[in-house]
Amino acid sequence: MSSEPSLTEEIASQLRDQVTGGALTPGQRLSEARLAADLDISRNTLREVFRLLTREGLLRHEPNRGVFVAVPSMASILDIYRVRRLIEVPALAQAWPRHEGAGRMRAAVVRAKNLRDIGDWRGIGSANMEFHAAIVSLSDSPRLNAFFAQIIAELRLAFGLLDSPEMLHAPYIDRNAQILERLEAGDAATASVMLDEYLGQSERVVLQAFARLG
Amino acid sequence: MSSEPSLTEEIASQLRDQVTGGALTPGQRLSEARLAADLDISRNTLREVFRLLTREGLLRHEPNRGVFVAVPSMASILDIYRVRRLIEVPALAQAWPRHEGAGRMRAAVVRAKNLRDIGDWRGIGSANMEFHAAIVSLSDSPRLNAFFAQIIAELRLAFGLLDSPEMLHAPYIDRNAQILERLEAGDAATASVMLDEYLGQSERVVLQAFARLG
DNA sequence: CTGATATGATTGTTCGACAATCATATACCA
DNA sequence: TGGTATATGATTGTCGAACAATCATATCAG
């Protein structure tokens, strides 16, 4: 009855959270032996986890040298935003207002507003990502959803590099709410235009913050 | 000096060809022990290969039951064509005519025409896929290219189910040539419209052939 | 101080083992 | 006889150990 996720998937999810959550520094090397011991799993199992996360772009594998936490580059951020625009905007443009995904969008907006009141910026970031994942779910495409999930994970990794999460997320809560309001009013066209502008501005802010790092 | 691809990658590529090439029947079960013996690799290594191909959608993994060659469904074909349209059309629309990808497109067209003369339909299929992969490469997005490679592999798997490859590929050789001609003439807009129509028709043909199978 | 060599650590791959789970055949009971 | 429960066998999931190949670092020679 319990569709228990295999140990590999479980550990993968755990490691993924550590990487996107910033517990592991980009560029950091992950020793097979030590990590396996820390996680209390065998090297073989850990290797399968590495394969998964490498495929998702969160880890980088150098032959005979080991795996490292991926280091986001400016090029990767540009690429990620291009992909986001390509996928999110059409998904929203042709959305049916009562699609299940709209409910997810609303839930994410509400959650973000609540978290803003208590100043949980990391939580706001998660809610924001969930909002956009919900937009993609409007497309009803399993492949696009899976692909976008990876893109989001990579973006979180990049965000982890930057400081001042308020700058990155705070201004967009109300904007998300407006986009949702337009969609629920049946005006998907305007909503998608707003989303396009949103992504453009967000990209600029992220790139600027990234440039300040050197 | 030789950037030797790891044994895992090598076997993965080999198995991938067998799956997309039709040597393995969709739905067929792949026994870890036997396949490992046949390929003369260890079970552990084969498992890593399985993870890779499962992630690519070519294999399906059922916990505690084993891995099977994926069985394309009508829903998956619909999804694949939706994704293709979403990615290929904009990539071509905003293409720069002297982009390196245009050269790849031309090479694919030439190869397809040559193969038509000797009746190598399987080869024509490969050339056709290469043509479309080249279109995506016009976008200069590593992530889109990687994603599209998976989509193509899944589509090949679906094609393997169908017979009469001439029906599937022959009519499109000249159409590809026309699209390329428009692009090289600097008229990417028209080219992308033609591509959109192409994909619509191709999708219909594939779905009809698929429906004839039951 | 520079370059070649030796040493140590880590990865790549294999092997063998065992518990957990699944599929099938057998035995039992109404 | 037919259906259910149990026992059997095979396969997967995970582990631990082992060893060659490769890489990184320290040592030494000039």
Side-chain angles (χ1 to χ4, degrees):
Chain A
M1 206 95 310
S2 67
S3 73
E4 43 183 328
S6 80
L7 178 58
T8 300
E9 300 283 349
E10 208 166 335
I11 300 288
S13 167
Q14 194 173 324
L15 243 188
R16 185 165 26 228
D17 290 346
Q18 288 191 27
V19 171
T20 60
L24 267 30
T25 313
Q28 178 179 349
R29 174 169 176 191
L30 302 182
S31 158
E32 282 188 10
R34 193 163 59 217
L35 230 190
D38 287 354
L39 294 172
D40 200 41
I41 59 177
S42 81
R43 259 184 73 206
N44 282 326
T45 302
L46 181 58
R47 268 167 149 271
E48 294 204 350
V49 173
F50 279 171
R51 287 279 174 194
L52 277 179
L53 300 189
T54 298
R55 201 69 171 138
E56 294 176 14
L58 294 181
L59 302 181
R60 195 165 34 88
H61 176 100
E62 299 189 11
N64 292 317
R65 296 217 29 215
V67 304
F68 304 77
V69 180
V71 182
S73 66
M74 196 157 292
S76 69
I77 292 180
L78 282 168
D79 196 25
I80 286 172
Y81 271 93
R82 182 135 39 112
V83 169
R84 287 190 68 180
R85 230 182 284 221
L86 183 71
I87 293 181
E88 290 188 50
V89 173
L92 184 59
Q94 63 183 19
W96 170 47
R98 345 178 60 126
H99 188 284
E100 172 195 22
R104 282 179 59 190
M105 291 167 67
R106 170 149 294 283
V109 165
V110 170
R111 186 150 57 95
K113 284 184 174 172
N114 289 340
L115 290 171
R116 177 170 54 184
D117 294 339
I118 60 177
D120 179 357
W121 297 111
R122 183 166 295 280
I124 290 177
S126 297
N128 192 21
M129 298 299 189
E130 163 62 15
F131 180 80
H132 290 274
I135 287 178
V136 176
S137 80
L138 294 170
S139 71
D140 282 318
S141 165
R143 282 159 189 79
L144 285 184
N145 279 295
F147 181 45
F148 193 77
Q150 288 185 207
I151 295 292
I152 285 290
E154 279 194 271
L155 188 56
R156 294 180 73 116
L157 176 62
F159 279 178
L161 235 57
L162 313 175
D163 29 35
S164 65
E166 310 121 65
M167 295 283 294
L168 288 172
H169 299 304
Y172 305 121
I173 298 179
D174 293 323
R175 241 172 136 160
N176 286 346
Q178 288 166 15
I179 290 173
L180 173 62
E181 189 263 332
R182 279 292 83 202
L183 172 64
E184 288 179 333
D187 187 6
T190 300
S192 71
V193 171
M194 293 171 67
L195 175 61
D196 197 38
E197 293 168 358
Y198 165 110
L199 288 172
Q201 177 175 342
S202 171
E203 179 179 14
R204 278 193 297 277
V205 171
V206 171
L207 285 176
Q208 282 171 14
F210 197 82
R212 275 197 296 274
L213 296 179
Chain B
M1 206 97 308
S2 67
S3 75
E4 44 183 330
S6 81
L7 178 59
T8 300
E9 300 284 349
E10 207 165 336
I11 300 288
S13 167
Q14 193 173 326
L15 242 189
R16 185 165 25 226
D17 289 346
Q18 288 191 26
V19 172
T20 61
L24 267 31
T25 312
Q28 178 179 348
R29 174 168 176 192
L30 302 181
S31 158
E32 280 187 12
R34 193 164 59 216
L35 230 189
D38 287 354
L39 294 172
D40 201 41
I41 59 177
S42 79
R43 260 184 72 205
N44 281 327
T45 302
L46 181 58
R47 268 166 149 274
E48 295 205 350
V49 174
F50 279 171
R51 290 279 174 196
L52 277 181
L53 300 189
T54 298
R55 201 65 172 146
E56 294 176 13
L58 294 181
L59 302 181
R60 196 164 35 88
H61 176 101
E62 300 188 10
N64 292 318
R65 296 218 26 218
V67 305
F68 303 78
V69 180
V71 181
S73 66
M74 196 157 292
S76 69
I77 293 180
L78 282 168
D79 195 25
I80 286 173
Y81 271 93
R82 183 136 37 113
V83 169
R84 288 190 67 180
R85 230 181 285 220
L86 183 71
I87 294 181
E88 290 189 50
V89 173
L92 183 59
Q94 64 183 18
W96 170 47
R98 345 177 59 127
H99 188 285
E100 173 195 23
R104 282 178 58 189
M105 290 167 69
R106 170 150 294 282
V109 165
V110 170
R111 186 150 57 94
K113 284 184 175 173
N114 288 339
L115 291 172
R116 177 170 54 184
D117 294 339
I118 60 176
D120 179 358
W121 297 111
R122 183 165 296 280
I124 291 177
S126 297
N128 191 23
M129 299 298 189
E130 163 62 16
F131 180 81
H132 290 275
I135 287 178
V136 177
S137 80
L138 295 169
S139 71
D140 280 319
S141 165
R143 282 158 189 79
L144 285 184
N145 279 295
F147 180 45
F148 194 77
Q150 288 185 207
I151 295 291
I152 284 291
E154 278 194 271
L155 189 56
R156 294 181 72 114
L157 177 62
F159 279 178
L161 236 55
L162 312 176
D163 30 34
S164 64
E166 310 121 66
M167 295 284 295
L168 288 173
H169 299 305
Y172 305 121
I173 299 180
D174 294 323
R175 242 172 134 160
N176 285 348
Q178 289 167 14
I179 291 173
L180 173 61
E181 188 263 334
R182 279 291 84 202
L183 171 64
E184 288 179 334
D187 186 5
T190 301
S192 71
V193 171
M194 292 170 67
L195 175 62
D196 198 38
E197 292 168 359
Y198 165 110
L199 288 172
Q201 177 174 342
S202 172
E203 178 178 15
R204 277 193 297 276
V205 171
V206 172
L207 284 177
Q208 283 170 15
F210 197 82
R212 275 197 296 275
L213 295 179

